Amino acid sequence: MPSMKTIDMFKALSNETRLQILNWLKEPDKHFPAQGAHIPKGVNFAGGVCVGDIQEKAGVSQSTVSSYLNMMQKAGLLESFRYGQWTYYRRNEAAIRQLAEHIRTEL
Amino acid sequence: MPSMKTIDMFKALSNETRLQILNWLKEPDKHFPAQGAHIPKGVNFAGGVCVGDIQEKAGVSQSTVSSYLNMMQKAGLLESFRYGQWTYYRRNEAAIRQLAEHIRTEL
DNA sequence: TTGACATATCGAGAATTCTCGATATACAAT
DNA sequence: ATTGTATATCGAGAATTCTCGATATGTCAA
């Protein structure tokens, strides 16, 4: 019985725009403006990018990118951190590695 | 630009029944009746299972299983061999390994 | 040739996904 | 308090996927 979460991951990965976002988030500095202007000192969420910047780059509507990011997070591919009015998303590298491992050994 | 084939793989993997089939085909002897009664000597397609046996085990209609298998083959997850009226399907282990590797290094 | 069987393809209705604009919520600044 | 900004949620129409039964195609056996 394959876990539902695995299927949710595959569904989340079955869309070009979402794949792009995941890929851009591999090198946030390269693809997005500098982040964290609104994150207070002492908070550690390196590599996170706010929704607005992702939306602009992806070229889809704000509501679409919001639900995409939410979907990817529910699937475990992303993790998020909210500070004030901003929500920052970044890759969940451990989960992605585990997915690769799952495919290699258990699929 | 993620290849279309990668997305097709993820789509093919986004369904419980198809995941089950892929998993059963890991150990065909364990999950299906003995195969190859109709495969002539000299033809080598070890691990292949015919559509009818997969259909019975999966418990979906014949047309559904046929299109599932076709879809998985087009995505590269399965390979098929037709002998007479029978079509045998088996896993494409190389492609599955490559998918894991792709996720690990390029996703 | 005829009949039986394995699989593929077709057509369709139901369910899900995609994607948007509009609106709501939550917080910041004035 | 009011306004502005960032994000989330809602509602809906279009597109896609799911899954079936019916039918077509190809092959084997009698």
Side-chain angles (χ1 to χ4, degrees):
Chain A
M1 47 184 151
S3 87
M4 203 189 65
K5 191 137 203 181
T6 303
I7 290 186
D8 287 343
M9 281 197 184
F10 289 135
K11 284 184 181 174
L13 295 170
S14 297
N15 176 281
E16 175 113 23
T17 301
R18 289 191 297 262
L19 278 184
Q20 293 262 32
I21 291 171
L22 201 58
N23 199 256
W24 289 330
L25 289 175
K26 270 186 99 164
E27 297 166 295
D29 301 351
K30 186 170 161 188
H31 297 286
F32 300 101
Q35 300 290 314
H38 305 278
I39 298 181
K41 296 291 175 210
V43 172
N44 196 12
F45 199 72
V49 179
C50 71
V51 178
D53 288 345
I54 298 172
Q55 189 233 320
E56 183 161 343
K57 177 110 181 167
V60 295
S61 75
Q62 189 270 322
S63 60
T64 295
V65 86
S66 176
S67 78
Y68 278 8
L69 294 169
N70 182 254
M71 170 184 192
M72 288 192 272
Q73 191 206 349
K74 275 184 190 152
L77 295 167
L78 298 182
E79 46 193 6
S80 72
F81 169 74
R82 172 167 256 246
Y83 178 71
Q85 8 183 196
W86 286 268
T87 306
Y88 294 88
Y89 284 91
R90 71 178 174 193
R91 289 161 58 98
N92 184 342
E93 296 291 357
I96 294 168
R97 252 181 283 115
Q98 282 163 23
L99 178 62
E101 192 60 12
H102 176 82
I103 290 172
R104 203 175 62 78
T105 64
E106 293 178 52
L107 199 68
Chain B
M1 46 186 151
S3 87
M4 202 189 63
K5 192 138 205 180
T6 303
I7 290 186
D8 287 343
M9 281 196 184
F10 289 137
K11 285 185 182 173
L13 294 170
S14 297
N15 175 282
E16 174 113 23
T17 301
R18 290 191 296 262
L19 278 185
Q20 292 261 33
I21 292 170
L22 201 58
N23 199 257
W24 289 330
L25 288 175
K26 270 187 98 164
E27 296 166 296
D29 301 351
K30 186 170 161 187
H31 297 287
F32 300 101
Q35 299 291 314
H38 305 278
I39 298 182
K41 294 291 174 212
V43 174
N44 196 13
F45 200 72
V49 179
C50 71
V51 178
D53 287 345
I54 298 172
Q55 189 232 320
E56 183 162 343
K57 177 110 182 168
V60 294
S61 75
Q62 189 271 321
S63 60
T64 295
V65 86
S66 175
S67 79
Y68 278 8
L69 294 169
N70 183 254
M71 170 185 192
M72 288 193 272
Q73 190 206 352
K74 275 185 190 152
L77 296 167
L78 299 182
E79 46 193 5
S80 73
F81 170 73
R82 171 166 256 244
Y83 178 68
Q85 9 184 194
W86 286 268
T87 306
Y88 294 86
Y89 284 90
R90 71 177 175 194
R91 290 161 58 99
N92 185 342
E93 296 291 355
I96 293 169
R97 250 180 285 115
Q98 282 164 23
L99 178 63
E101 193 60 11
H102 176 82
I103 290 172
R104 202 175 62 78
T105 63
E106 292 178 52
L107 199 67

